[in-house]
Amino acid sequence: MPNAKAPQAIETNDQASTFLNGKNSLTITDNRTGKQYDMRIENDTIRAMDLRQIKVKDDDFGMMTYDPAFMNTAACKSTITYIDGDKGILRYRGYPIEQLAEKSNFLETAYLIIYGELPTKTENEEWVYNIMTHTLVHENMKKFVDGFHYDAHPMGMLICSVAALSTFYTDAKNIMDPSCRKLQIFRLIGKMPTLAAFAYRHSVGRPYVYPDNDMSYAGNFLNMLLKTTELKYKPNPVLERALDVLFILHADHEQNCSTSAMRNVGSSHVDPFSAAAAATAALYGPLHGGANEAVLNMLDEIRHKNNVPAFIKEVKEGRGRLMGFGHRVYKNYDPRAKVIKHLADEVFEVTGRNPKLDIALELERIALEDEYFIKRKLYPNVDFYSGLIYQAMGFPVEMFPVLFAIGRTPGWVAQWEEMLLDTEQKIARPRQIYLGHDTRDYTMMGKRTQKA
Ligand code: CMC
């Protein structure tokens, strides 16, 4: 019988008494020493720091967990977004994504995500006014964007111009001042479409278009992208609404790669523009926000639906991935992909059917019947059909992750603020398992031997 140890009293809080009675606890036996440890269970979780008491010798560092890519580690408590990956459920502040996509609009959803409740009429008017009067950027920003090479990727330009906002708004450093944070949130959400549109106009060699604050958020974005010589740009209402819904669907997705970047970088207490630039950079990667661009490139490569079986075979043999399929959290159909599939029909009625849709439908049909994808629970994710809509609307593929970034900005700022106000949070600093050399003496260059 191992040396039974009394449960460790960790902290006094409302759960402590139950914990001391042995309920809501996990007992761990260290077979190296025979000692037992009781860990408090809270929200089906034990605290990694509680493991540090597990030692063989008193001067040991103590036990850690090893979790590359954070497969099973909760790094924060959050009240913003709920996902049940097995059931394919996504809710912002409790509201199902399907209802928000049908009944809400992007700015109202952004308010909900940031402040926790749907706005009243007055709150909404004030909020929309504040966002739409922060859409203009400093004139020097035009010179800044002008400096990019003619074929610069718009996402690269967006990363840099979001970071540059911190040089125009030096007050943004006052992150502990609530009114200052509020102002930066207006600025970020307001200016993202302007910066994105400037990047696009630069890449097509057209003059920048100033925001038109009489229009809706999505309508104004289309205006800044597409206006030519007309006095007043009039967006197609179906396309304007479709873009707004796409922004809603992308608005938050709990602790994904870019949001974690926003929280991690923000945890050093840098200004939110610098943190948002890091989040935008994380989103650029083909495994995250760059996936919608990769889907279109993949469909181009497949060329015809008859080539789908051969492509699937290659994927199964480990030569490439089926882009737009699979998700770290969803092991079911991504609920956002379902909404987007319906939205595609509405958009194609206006724009004409994207011929690549046939290839995508065939890919989905074959993959969902294939043992490889079934076994691994790989289903279409948000990026599988969104690119087809964006392309039908006339966006070049390079703009796809940029559109994702605009939609995700409310989520980034809400999660950033939640992190700052969470008294348990500190600067993010993971541990490592060091497996390198032990100490060794410096060798002079002449005495070093060539490595094979
Ligand atoms: N095509 C083929 N096989 C796949 C795919 C795919 N798209 N995704 C995962 N797998 C296989 C993978 O090879 C592995 O197989 P095995 O067990 O035999 O080694 C298994 O499924 C598990 O994959 P994983 O890479 O361990 O899963 P993950 O949770 O680390 O990766 C993912 C999630 C989204 C990065 C991945 O599914 C992927 O690369 N998908 C394609 C890119 C994509 O569509 N990304 C957009 C994600 S949704 C929007 C966003 O978050 O930005």
Side-chain angles (χ1 to χ4, degrees):
M1 169 88 183
N3 300 333
K5 225 180 144 191
Q8 306 290 301
I10 296 164
E11 283 168 62
T12 1
N13 68 13
D14 52 353
Q15 294 225 350
S17 53
T18 333
F19 163 67
L20 290 172
N21 286 337
K23 289 182 187 163
N24 288 328
S25 71
L26 177 76
T27 304
I28 296 179
T29 305
D30 184 348
N31 292 321
R32 299 169 304 174
T33 59
K35 284 186 192 163
Q36 276 194 342
Y37 302 84
D38 274 10
M39 310 277 149
R40 187 176 69 215
I41 298 176
E42 196 187 344
N43 304 313
D44 291 332
T45 309
I46 59 161
R47 284 189 178 251
M49 277 304 286
D50 288 351
L51 296 171
R52 288 276 282 278
Q53 61 184 304
I54 304 180
K55 298 177 177 187
V56 175
K57 291 186 264 138
D58 283 348
D59 60 352
D60 280 353
F61 183 76
M63 181 78 74
M64 295 190 296
T65 55
Y66 175 55
D67 190 10
F70 307 111
M71 298 288 286
N72 198 36
T73 295
C76 64
K77 292 175 181 166
S78 181
T79 59
I80 302 172
T81 291
Y82 173 78
I83 302 176
D84 183 328
D86 290 326
K87 296 196 182 119
I89 292 173
L90 169 62
R91 297 182 201 130
Y92 300 154
R93 303 283 190 182
Y95 294 97
I97 191 69
E98 296 80 2
Q99 288 185 26
L100 292 169
E102 190 191 332
K103 298 177 181 160
S104 184
N105 61 60
F106 177 63
L107 285 188
E108 184 189 63
T109 299
Y111 183 100
L112 168 73
I113 287 174
I114 295 165
Y115 300 113
E117 296 297 337
L118 287 165
T120 61
K121 191 168 179 291
T122 321
E123 285 165 343
N124 189 57
E125 280 165 8
E126 199 183 322
W127 167 246
V128 172
Y129 174 83
N130 278 322
I131 299 293
M132 296 311 291
T133 47
H134 282 93
T135 49
L136 208 57
V137 292
H138 193 286
E139 278 296 287
N140 284 359
M141 192 57 94
K142 293 198 312 199
K143 295 187 204 152
F144 186 78
V145 178
D146 273 344
F148 286 109
H149 204 241
Y150 71 95
D151 62 353
H153 195 290
M155 198 62 173
M157 291 192 257
L158 185 67
I159 294 167
C160 299
S161 51
V162 172
L165 288 179
S166 81
T167 66
F168 292 104
Y169 305 109
T170 49
D171 58 320
K173 286 186 173 61
N174 300 323
I175 55 161
M176 290 308 166
D177 174 351
S179 60
C180 180
R181 277 201 307 273
K182 203 172 182 182
L183 178 59
Q184 311 321 321
I185 288 174
F186 297 152
R187 284 175 171 159
L188 249 177
I189 299 176
K191 292 176 203 313
M192 268 319 248
T194 314
L195 298 177
F198 278 19
Y200 172 72
R201 301 286 290 203
H202 176 74
S203 58
V204 291
R206 291 203 187 137
Y208 307 118
V209 175
Y210 288 109
D212 181 340
N213 297 345
D214 290 341
M215 305 175 92
S216 74
Y217 188 81
N220 170 52
F221 179 50
L222 289 170
N223 162 62
M224 291 189 290
L225 288 170
L226 304 174
K227 187 172 189 287
T228 50
T229 52
E230 65 272 49
L231 282 180
K232 180 99 178 164
Y233 175 81
K234 287 203 184 72
N236 178 300
V238 175
L239 303 187
E240 182 183 2
R241 173 66 189 155
L243 192 57
D244 201 65
V245 172
L246 285 160
F247 287 156
I248 293 175
L249 297 176
H250 286 89
D252 193 49
H253 213 232
E254 49 119 307
Q255 308 311 314
N256 56 85
C257 180
S258 57
T259 302
S260 299
M262 182 86 193
R263 279 180 172 261
N264 266 3
V265 175
S267 77
S268 75
H269 287 186
V270 72
D271 67 85
F273 302 116
S274 300
T280 312
L283 191 70
Y284 191 4
L287 298 187
H288 190 13
N292 47 20
E293 182 178 351
V295 169
L296 261 284
N297 294 336
M298 175 187 76
L299 296 176
D300 279 340
E301 202 186 301
I302 297 173
R303 288 207 328 270
H304 193 275
K305 71 176 198 171
N306 293 348
N307 300 330
V308 167
F311 179 79
I312 294 274
K313 186 167 173 281
E314 279 185 15
V315 168
K316 285 161 57 179
E317 287 167 0
R319 286 182 282 142
R321 286 200 163 192
L322 176 47
M323 300 311 287
F325 256 68
H327 199 277
R328 172 64 57 80
V329 180
Y330 292 118
K331 301 300 165 198
N332 201 324
Y333 214 107
D334 183 332
R336 301 168 298 174
K338 274 190 197 156
V339 178
I340 292 175
K341 215 174 157 184
H342 288 301
L343 200 61
D345 294 333
E346 290 168 31
V347 170
F348 295 158
E349 263 185 40
V350 176
T351 62
R353 191 179 158 91
N354 188 327
K356 294 189 190 101
L357 179 65
D358 291 335
I359 308 175
L361 289 170
E362 185 68 354
L363 274 171
E364 181 185 336
R365 190 187 67 76
I366 295 188
L368 293 185
E369 286 172 357
D370 191 295
E371 186 54 26
Y372 175 96
F373 296 90
I374 295 170
K375 202 172 113 202
R376 291 170 179 78
K377 298 187 175 163
L378 301 171
Y379 292 86
N381 60 46
V382 68
D383 292 314
F384 194 65
Y385 288 108
S386 59
L388 289 171
I389 301 187
Y390 293 145
Q391 193 171 53
M393 287 173 77
F395 289 108
V397 283
E398 297 78 29
M399 279 300 283
F400 296 178
V402 170
L403 301 169
F404 194 153
I406 296 172
R408 185 54 55 88
T409 303
W412 288 338
V413 292
Q415 300 267 356
W416 165 74
E417 192 162 50
E418 188 177 61
M419 177 273 303
L420 286 177
L421 298 179
D422 182 345
T423 52
E424 285 195 294
Q425 293 292 342
K426 291 167 181 278
I427 186 166
R429 202 326 183 165
R431 294 280 177 181
Q432 65 165 10
I433 301 172
Y434 177 71
L435 297 176
H437 286 283
D438 206 345
T439 183
R440 49 185 180 158
D441 290 325
Y442 183 84
T443 321
M444 298 306 289
M445 197 175 283
K447 294 197 172 162
R448 293 175 208 163
T449 47
Q450 188 78 36
K451 284 172 210 74

